[in-house]
Amino acid sequence: MTDPIAFIDLAAQRRRLGSAIDDAVLKVVNHGGYIMGPEVKAFEADLAAFCGARNVVSCANGTDALAMVLMAKGVKPGDAVLCPTFTFAATAEVVAWLGATPVFVDVYEQTFNIDPNSLEGGIKTARRLNLRPVGVIPVDLFGQPADYDTVESICDREGLWMLCDAAQSFGASYKGRQVGTLGLATSTSFFPAKPLGCYGDGGAVFTEDDELAAVMRSIRVHGQGSDKYDNVRIGMNGRLDTMQAAILIEKLKIFPEEIAARHRVAKRYSELLGDVAAVPEVPQGVTSVWAQYTLRLRGLDRETFTADLKAAGVPTAVYYPRPLHEQTAYRAFPTAGNGLPAAERLAQEVVSLPMHPYLTEGIQDRVIAAVKDASMRQRKAAAE
Ligand SMILES: Cc1ncc(COP(=O)(O)O)c(C=O)c1O
């Protein structure tokens, strides 16, 4: 029996970083600045230098990052915020938190990201329902930036802001610009499985808008004014732990190398799997950070396929088995135009393969062979 393959190998990265992490954590334990200690500010400066954003507001997780922007923009009941339906629940959840209405929009099948035609339909749907469209939250699914130029031109025309949900894409780029410098603001997550992950929860917001950043810094600590016992607005406890900031400082140092390694894995997967399944399409001028490497299984039974891979020791995951507009909690919210067929199809077809920077060519070969075997078996059975 060969060794089981990890879907995401956090242990390999832990071995690589070794004492750098131990020392960083111990330093925080000893200096005692557990809440908003010096590492938090230092990490924010490192993030700003990494992506070129003017303001970085770190926070407790990627969900709070989204919420802080919406709260700072004063999103309220009667407002509509347009979100892709093929995403993690947090994207729409924060809209509903504030009593506003998420309006679900379809995605492109080739990139998994928001479809601007459907976005136009969603804006019309919102207005027909007497809702006030205020903003759009494009999501960079699986690490690949959305079609920002087109979405932004619609936002400009319609007077909407654009909040980029880059929970999965920090480290990617769009037409020469790093993720973190697009739209009104960009949110990200440092959940352990994300390309830049910590050892717990963490997140950040990036914005060029100084005023928005100042309001979010206040929201992050219970709407503080001159100090935390001066409450000038409704806020939250949204701080990033100092310990997580210390860990992230070390992880960010090796992040560019890890991104390059992810690119190598994805390139090889795409070269060798393109003839058995639909491989991800990355448009010209865009780079993905490959949070996930996701195939579309055209004409194959997904359950049989994943069972075959599992038998070969290859783990897989399905992101996402149901689009949000079909989820119990979100079913009652409006959808764009005449339905969201691409997302519904994707939910049936997608499967993600092991992806991380420490995936050796030997392990890649095992994954590739298992995918080829599983698809060949089904095609052969269908032909008989
Ligand atoms: C697209 C998307 N948005 C938001 C989030 C929320 O991030 P967090 O889990 O850090 O709250 C996630 C994370 O899983 C995500 O994938």
Side-chain angles (χ1 to χ4, degrees), residues 60-64 66 87-88 90-91 139 141 165 167-168 188-191 194 201-203 320:
N61 55 67
T63 309
D64 284 357
L66 287 163
T87 180
F88 183 65
T91 312
V139 177
L141 209 72
D165 183 345
Q168 303 181 11
T188 198
S189 163
F190 304 122
F191 184 80
K194 299 295 189 231
D201 278 307
Y320 298 92

Side-chain angles (χ1 to χ4, degrees), residues 66-298:
L66 287 163
M68 290 199 313
V69 179
L70 300 192
M71 288 168 77
K73 291 304 289 177
V75 170
K76 58 186 178 304
D79 290 349
V81 177
L82 295 111
C83 315
T85 185
F86 197 57
T87 180
F88 183 65
T91 312
E93 186 177 39
V94 291
V95 178
W97 276 4
L98 298 174
T101 305
V103 176
F104 291 115
V105 171
D106 211 356
V107 294
Y108 284 136
E109 265 185 272
Q110 293 78 11
T111 63
F112 312 110
N113 283 333
I114 193 163
D115 175 349
N117 283 322
S118 181
L119 173 60
E120 304 253 22
I123 295 167
K124 287 196 188 104
T125 301
R127 294 206 170 111
R128 206 177 325 113
L129 295 168
N130 287 324
L131 296 166
R132 193 174 40 252
V134 292
V136 182
I137 311 182
V139 177
D140 301 343
L141 209 72
F142 306 146
Q144 178 170 317
D147 183 1
Y148 282 117
D149 280 351
T150 316
V151 173
E152 195 158 36
S153 69
I154 295 170
C155 287
D156 288 347
R157 194 191 69 215
E158 300 290 339
L160 312 177
W161 42 256
M162 182 168 82
L163 162 57
C164 312
D165 183 345
Q168 303 181 11
S169 69
F170 188 68
S173 67
Y174 179 82
K175 300 193 179 172
R177 294 163 71 187
Q178 284 292 310
V179 162
T181 58
L182 299 145
L184 168 74
T186 299
S187 61
T188 198
S189 163
F190 304 122
F191 184 80
K194 299 295 189 231
L196 179 64
C198 53
Y199 289 154
D201 278 307
V205 184
F206 307 83
T207 182
E208 301 305 289
D209 184 329
D210 295 350
E211 216 177 297
L212 185 74
V215 174
M216 289 191 294
R217 286 197 185 98
S218 161
I219 287 172
R220 176 171 68 177
V221 189
H222 304 289
Q224 72 175 11
S226 52
D227 64 62
K228 69 176 167 182
Y229 301 113
D230 172 33
N231 309 109
V232 297
R233 57 176 58 80
I234 303 295
M236 57 162 75
N237 175 357
R239 300 172 296 237
L240 176 68
D241 277 357
T242 308
M243 204 97 78
Q244 299 303 341
I247 290 161
L248 283 161
I249 287 170
E250 297 308 315
K251 290 201 180 197
L252 189 59
K253 289 178 189 164
I254 61 163
F255 193 42
E257 274 176 42
E258 292 189 334
I259 293 171
R262 286 175 182 276
H263 284 155
R264 284 195 294 276
V265 177
K267 187 163 177 279
R268 200 145 175 274
Y269 274 167
S270 291
E271 280 167 4
L272 297 172
L273 292 175
D275 55 342
V276 292
V279 296
E281 290 180 25
V282 184
Q284 194 74 25
V286 175
T287 66
S288 174
V289 76
W290 301 106
Q292 302 295 340
Y293 185 90
T294 303
L295 297 173
R296 282 176 291 143
L297 297 177
R298 282 283 157 76

